[in-house]
Each structure stands twice: as C-alpha cells, then as structure tokens.
Amino acid sequence: MTWTSSPPGTPVTDAVLAAAADRTLPAYLYDLRHLADHLARIRAAFDGVDAQIELLHAVKANPDPALLTVIAEHVHGLEVASGGELAHVRAHLPGVPLAFGGPGKTDAELTAALAAGVDRYHVESRHELRRLDALARAAGQRVQVLLRVNLPTGFGGGAALTMGGMPSPFGMDPAEAAAAAADLAELPGIQVVGVHAHLASGLAPADCAALAEVVLSWAAQFGRRHHLALREVNVGGGMAVDYRRPDQIFDWAGYARRLAAIAAKHPSLTIRIEPGRAISAYSGWYATRVLDLKPSHGEWFAVCAGGTHHLRTPAAKGHDQPVVVVPAEQWDCPWPRPSVTAEPITFVGQLCTPKDVLARQVRLPGIAAGDLVVFAMCGAYGYNISHHDFLMHPAPTVVHLR
Ligand SMILES: Cc1ncc(COP(=O)(O)O)c(C=O)c1O
C-alpha cells in the first residue's frame, strides 16, 4: 500500500492500514502485539538494572479493557483515579494490585476502594486522610497510604503539563504534609508507607530522573524528621511522548539507569513509577476518511469524518496529530473529485467549532476527497478524554489487532 506521512517517521503498520481500509470509519485501531512488544522493552529496561523499581500504569491514559489486559501482564499494578476506574478495572482484571489516587475522592469512592481491597491510597489532603481513617476503621481495616505532595522543586525544565511545584489542587504542600504526619497519632486506621508525587508530564529521561531524585531526597528527609518507616516513593508518570517527533521514543533504558543510580542512594526505598501516555500512545491509531476538501481564503481544509469529539488531545494540547494518508483509488461520483497537490492541508472534523482541528498546515504531496487518513499516536488520552456527545455524531468503531 502506498502512503505518505507527516512528520516523517510517523509509525504505522501494514496490519493497521489493512484493517483501517476494511472497517467502518471513523475507527480506533489498537495493535495489541505492538503494545506487548513496547511493554516488553520497557520491562527489559528495568529488569536490566539492579534496583527496586516497580512499574504501575495510570489507567486514565486509556481504560480500554483489551489494552489494560495486555498492560497488566507487564506491570506491578494499576493506578486508578476514580470510583469508575476502580469498578471498571476490578470487573475486567479482578486480581491486579491497585493504587487509588486522584483529588476529590468521595466517601462513596473510598468505601468502594475499601471493599475492593485497594493496596495503596494516594492521599491528597489532611481532610482526606482523616476521612479515610474514619472509613477504614469503620470497615475494620488499617490501610497503607502514600501522602501525595506538591514539592517546590524549583524545576523548570521543559514539561508539557505541570501539576506541581506551584499552586495546584494536587497533593499537599510540605507544611501540610508535616501537619498530616503529626495527625497520624490520632489516625489508627492509617499506615503511611510512603510518599507520592506526580509533578509534571512530558519530561525527557534526564528531567524525569532529576525530578525523581528531588522527590526521593525529600521523602527520605521527611521520613526521618517524622519518624515514619517509609518504604516506597511513587514518583508518578510524565514520561514524554513527542507528537512532533514520533520516532523519538522515551529512552527507558537510559531512564532506568539514572533511576537505579538514585535508588542506590536510598536502599530502603522502593521506587514506583506510574506512566500513562508513554505506555499506550504508540499502539493506537484513529482512522477516518476525507469527506470534503476545499480552499478557504488561501488555505486548504480536509474535512474528515469524526473529529475532536473522538480525538480531543491535539486540540487540548495544541499539537498536530501525526498523520498518514493513503490515496483511495475508487471515486464513484460522476463529478470531478476534489483534490489538491503540494499545498499545506489543515485536517478538521465534523464539529461546528473552529477548535475541531486535528492537524494544521500539514505538508503532504497531495490529498483527495475519499482518501484514507490515519492519525498515529492515538493510544493514550484519545477517545476517553474527548467530548463525545457534542453534536451527537456516532461513536467510533474500535478494532483490536491481535
Ligand atoms: C497522579 C498521576 N499519575 C500518573 C499520570 C500519568 O501521566 P502521563 O500520562 O503523563 O505519564 C497522571 C496524569 O495525569 C497523574 O495525574
């Protein structure tokens, strides 16, 4: 099959193109073997270093049960961030160890987590700690907790999304965490076993490791100061996925080596990481067709079936989704086919909003109405973070390649 892509190096497999050509579109296509191979490489990176590092996965990146089933075979556990994710994962993968995070947990969610036997609670505030204590004691439990902290890291390096080191609703400031530690004498239902921090997303390996070092050093000091026998530090996710350079995959082996060097300074602590997008982004594609192609005030627009109600990430994050275009041979209409060569194309969807843009000013040799358009790197934060109901278009087909 002949195809062109932008940027060069945009990943797509023959199996994905064949399946896309054959299915009702728009469709999400998930290549489960691709995902398993990717995860095997990640696991090999951590198995290759001498350090206690545990790999969790943030379910919010993509709750697709088939994906989670593959992922669960390669990780130590899953991080869920709502009662919905908790129930979903327990229904599909009953035995997988769970960490329960997320700001604003309700009593009903905490009660469900206690009933589900969640392994770790990532607690975000003193009030949440007290509520969890009361609910745990009522359920006859003593639960294992990581205090989520928002550290003033002074770290400015290139994060795509910053969630800490500045005012934010996530976690506790160091002073609040210290007060929470002091509260523990009155909270017999709580055993604090560690610290959690997810401070940024979109980090290169060196930045990711530097942030982990900040968190580990802080946690070790915090444990000493408050006489807490901490045994683990979860340094979060945030490993970069570069949508502008699809061939630049996060260097897991380099990251694992850096993390191992940091772990050696803290031998009593297990490091946990909980990546989301860097696990599944590369194994999903969103395929559609060009419905219409037209010039507008000097620019060309390819209007595709579907749009940001299926794939909101490029609009939300402001990037151009990497794209592959496969020319369609068939043209059944009796009038000339809309087509253009050597003009930058903006790919949009069917929504009545100028924000419904999937990729801007894409340079391709040519494009025509009816062509197959396959967006790559759609395996994370794709359909599940999109505003499905706007304009009430149908949901995409979901295809699993095995
Ligand atoms: C607490 C927590 N952990 C992990 C992640 C995963 O982040 P990423 O997908 O950037 O790896 C997130 C994302 O928001 C998060 O909030």
Side-chain angles (χ1 to χ4, degrees), residues 6 299-301 314-315 318-321 323 344-348 354-363 375:
S6 175
E299 287 188 25
W300 280 84
F301 289 82
H319 67 243
D320 299 319
Q321 201 68 29
V323 65
I345 307 293
T346 293
F347 289 86
V348 300
K355 295 191 174 165
D356 190 23
V357 179
L358 297 162
R360 282 178 204 281
Q361 301 277 314
V362 177
R363 293 192 176 271
F375 293 98

Side-chain angles (χ1 to χ4, degrees), residues 3 6 68 73 107 256 274 340:
W3 50 272
S6 175
L68 289 181
E73 285 167 16
D107 281 0
E274 54 185 30
V340 65

Side-chain angles (χ1 to χ4, degrees), residues 58 60 79 148 163 196 198 201 237-239 274-277 381:
K60 61 180 75 73
E79 186 252 3
R148 182 171 181 182
M163 301 174 88
H196 175 280
H198 171 80
S201 278
M239 295 73 188
E274 54 185 30
R277 85 192 68 225
Y381 305 110

Side-chain angles (χ1 to χ4, degrees), residues 28 30 60-62 308-313 378-388:
Y28 267 92
Y30 297 122
K60 61 180 75 73
N62 194 331
T308 55
H309 54 301
H310 293 167
L311 178 61
R312 181 172 161 265
T313 315
C378 298
Y381 305 110
Y383 187 60
N384 64 315
I385 69 146
S386 305
H387 44 290
H388 309 152

Side-chain angles (χ1 to χ4, degrees), residues 2-25:
T2 57
W3 50 272
T4 54
S5 80
S6 175
T10 294
V12 71
T13 61
D14 289 344
V16 166
L17 291 179
D22 195 33
R23 300 300 173 118
T24 304
L25 301 181

